Amino acid sequence: MHRLPESVQESIDRGHIPSPPEILLRLMRTVDDEQATVGDLASIVEQDPGLASRILSVANSPALRRGRELKSLDTCLVALGTRLVHSLATCLSIQRLFDRNPNLDATDIADFWSHSLLVGELARGVAELAEYPHPDEAYLSGLLHDIGELILLSAIGEPYRRFLINSAENPQLLAEEVQLFGTTHADVGGWLIDHWGLNSVLADGTAFHHASAAQILTATALPQMVWIAQALSANMDDSPEFGVVVNGSSLKLERSALFAERDRAIQRTRQIAEALGITVADEFPKRHHAAAAPPQPAQSSAAEEDMAALVGGMAMLQPLQQDLFQLGSDTEVLLALRESARILFELPKVAILLANDKGDALSGEKVGAQPELFRQLSIPLAASRSLAAAAVIERQVRTSFEQTEALPLLDLQLARALGTEGLLCIPMLARSRVIGVMVCGLSEKQYGRLQRRIPWLANFGKIAAISLDAVLEAGRHRQQVEEELTHQFTRHARQIVHEAGNPLGIIKSYLKILERKLPEDGVRQELTVLTEEIDRVANIVGHMTHALKGSAESTSLDLVAVLNDFLVLYADTLFNTKGIRIETVLPQAELPVRINRDSLKQIVLNLWKNASEALVAGKYVKVSVSDNIIHDGAGYVQLRVDDNGPGMPEETIQSLYRPKPISDTAQRGLGLSVVGSLAKKEGVLITCRSQIGAGTSIALLIPKGGAPVAGQPA
């Protein structure tokens, strides 16, 4: 890949990928709708390359990403949450109002949007025809395939627009793109997706969509599908290259099916445009680049411009302040501030230092997702130590480009850590309290563009401080209330433990007396199991205060023996008396597993009780155990509970993996939440398959153990 020219790199850092205003308006209204779902948001975001790229980049940022890439828009939106999505939409709308790029006009954006949406629809259609397992990835790669065009238009302007007009008439001119501009729009798009840290195959679909037929046939399936989608959109289906790719690829595609898919995708794109109120050219899908008239700058005095900037900034930033107040944690606010600075002021490199408890030093120790140097810092509030400290003390925006004296070495270190020429420091002051400072890395050219917006930056710092102070104060208040409630709960719990312990102890003593009076037959086994259950209940009650006997560590025990004991104690109560048939497939030999005994019993009881409550007479439950299961190189024993009941909705199933608070959970979901929590704690893997009206199957992979410990009850 060619090295990106500086102007292009700068345009990427600024994040100039505009969206049609109609889509932003629809997104804002949908986010405000309390009935809207993540699916509703995803259906809007997936229609626009600008929004999709922003959501992908933010969701995969270090502040949110937890070891795995998020490459579907649904998972990205879930990771961000509705409130952060609202903040992003607000900032993008504000940016569009006050910072229209002179290198882009409405025709550019409408043409780019309609073409990108069409190729995305086509790529997904081709993927489905080829039975590709991830059609949404093909759609996303197709949607973003030309995103480099918009970045190059933003960076270069009229020369690149003229190139697009000429290449639309003569596609062979695309080969000259790198000679004219030092890079290609395909390279820029691929680099951008790589820059987000996403799977390289997703970037390949963007980077190789103009490869030759011979080259694309050597690529994997996803780039081939995007190439075919791009060719269909450009009506290249009668070219020899198109025939070579369709016939030579391993996708097994029929030309007639591809042409039908193109007709469907064109109709779908027109329908979406009509619904959004976006005008699509009559000759669509042909590209419609038009030469823009040179902008005529308005004549106004410097004072008038400063006044407009000041008043406009106060008005424009008001919606952002409302959004920030809705965020629920300091992590969310800090992430929203960074993205707001990137979108509103084209400041892609922002670190944040917060005042310590005494208010006499600035530190980044508690702020994540920024260079390590900032997390090690503790800067005393002395103006001579750093621009960051000077900005807070002087209560004004400070920049290294206005310094007449040599910068302290610390400021040079901060600029190096951010990879920039200089620094711009925005104080965050809430009334008389020092909250912190935003340290922004930027070039002298970037600072030149920002000079008129210094009042906006100062106002942005105040909004940031007030919002952060509010959420931190709410956190301190919440912690105080939680401590008081915990103290009250502990006191009441001790009383409950004491009162419950007395009758449980009496019942256990009576059972021992009764056991000695009974003959030595099967009844004694039932009494032994019942005594163990009383011990388990006492242990659960004791854990209410975290003061009684702790949960035993995981030990090796016989899974078959535990299940047989439970069948003796609970089969009649839960199943037989209700007319529910219970079937078992259990091995005759011992089957050792490594798990805490009480946790295993709690898991099994909740699964059985869950099935019992869901089933009616005539239905059945099947309990089966399988040995010698290997997963990721480790040995497991599988315990399955199958039924032919009514099935479970997805929301209930999700409680196995994301346990809900008790107050928000229905009775059936509560049992599954307990199972999910205990399984996670014990290293038990869970899979669940359920179909409404057809039944449910829950499988547990329990770590395999050695021989049960001598003297350890099953």
Side-chain angles (χ1 to χ4, degrees), residues 523-698:
V523 177
R524 283 198 172 190
Q525 180 190 358
E526 295 181 25
L527 290 178
T528 300
V529 176
L530 189 57
T531 301
E532 289 178 7
E533 286 300 283
I534 291 173
D535 286 338
R536 189 169 65 84
V537 171
N539 201 28
I540 292 172
V541 173
H543 273 77
M544 293 175 68
T545 63
H546 299 281
L548 297 187
K549 48 186 174 177
S551 176
E553 294 182 359
S554 299
T555 57
S556 191
L557 54 91
D558 181 10
L559 174 61
V560 177
V562 171
L563 293 176
N564 281 326
D565 286 348
F566 259 43
L567 287 168
V568 169
L569 194 60
Y570 292 112
D572 285 337
T573 305
L574 293 177
F575 304 116
N576 295 335
T577 58
K578 296 179 64 176
I580 301 169
R581 188 171 81 258
I582 182 165
E583 301 176 5
T584 60
V585 181
L586 305 179
Q588 297 297 316
E590 291 184 351
L591 203 51
V593 291
R594 182 159 293 279
I595 187 173
N596 172 261
R597 174 172 153 271
D598 287 347
S599 294
L600 174 61
K601 289 187 172 184
Q602 191 77 356
I603 288 171
V604 172
L605 181 58
N606 274 285
L607 288 178
W608 288 8
K609 189 170 182 292
N610 195 61
S612 173
E613 291 170 350
L615 301 180
V616 296
K619 298 294 183 178
Y620 75 86
V621 171
K622 181 178 179 181
V623 180
S624 58
V625 172
S626 303
D627 194 6
N628 299 321
I629 306 296
I630 303 297
H631 178 75
D632 281 348
Y636 292 87
V637 173
Q638 178 179 269
L639 167 62
R640 278 185 54 169
V641 179
D642 300 275
D643 67 58
N644 63 341
M648 296 187 294
E650 183 179 352
E651 182 181 358
T652 302
I653 295 173
Q654 288 299 331
S655 61
L656 274 168
Y657 309 102
R658 291 191 291 272
K660 299 180 180 180
I662 291 176
S663 59
D664 296 338
T665 311
Q667 189 63 33
R668 194 175 185 200
L670 175 58
L672 292 180
S673 288
V674 172
V675 170
S677 297
L678 290 173
K680 184 176 181 180
K681 176 183 173 185
E682 296 290 338
V684 174
L685 307 178
I686 304 179
T687 58
C688 178
R689 297 191 304 275
S690 187
Q691 184 176 349
I692 299 300
T696 299
S697 174
I698 296 177

Side-chain angles (χ1 to χ4, degrees), residues 84-241:
L84 274 176
V85 173
H86 196 290
S87 293
L88 289 175
T90 300
C91 288
L92 290 166
S93 302
I94 292 170
Q95 180 200 49
R96 184 172 181 86
L97 287 174
F98 76 67
D99 189 30
R100 292 173 183 165
N101 191 319
N103 290 335
L104 297 172
D105 62 16
T107 304
D108 290 327
I109 297 172
D111 175 76
F112 169 79
W113 175 84
S114 57
H115 175 69
S116 298
L117 184 58
L118 174 63
V119 175
E121 291 283 342
L122 280 168
R124 177 158 52 195
V126 173
E128 290 171 349
L129 290 174
E131 298 183 352
Y132 183 69
H134 308 293
D136 286 343
E137 289 184 21
Y139 174 86
L140 198 55
S141 190
L143 185 74
L144 299 177
H145 81 290
D146 265 348
I147 205 162
E149 274 190 12
L150 215 55
I151 292 173
L152 289 170
L153 267 174
S154 175
I156 300 170
E158 190 58 29
Y160 193 73
R161 181 179 289 105
R162 287 196 299 269
F163 167 78
L164 289 177
I165 295 170
N166 294 331
S167 62
E169 300 298 328
N170 183 7
Q172 301 302 320
L173 291 176
L174 283 170
E176 299 180 11
E177 191 174 14
V178 69
Q179 282 78 29
L180 292 171
F181 306 109
T183 188
T184 69
H185 69 280
D187 279 348
V188 172
W191 187 94
L192 182 64
I193 297 175
D194 282 334
H195 184 63
W196 296 335
L198 296 180
N199 190 317
S200 63
V201 178
L202 195 66
D204 292 343
T206 298
F208 303 144
H209 70 275
H210 283 305
S212 69
Q215 289 174 323
I216 203 66
L217 283 177
T218 65
T220 55
L222 183 61
Q224 289 184 7
M225 290 184 289
V226 176
W227 191 97
I228 292 172
Q230 158 66 22
L232 286 168
S233 74
N235 291 319
M236 289 171 51
D237 44 275
D238 57 350
S239 69
E241 283 205 331

Side-chain angles (χ1 to χ4, degrees), residues 353 360-363 377-382 385-386 388-389 410-411 414:
L353 301 174
D360 60 1
L362 300 168
S363 171
L377 282 179
S378 180
I379 306 175
L381 283 181
R385 296 300 299 273
S386 170
L410 177 57
D411 287 339
L414 298 182

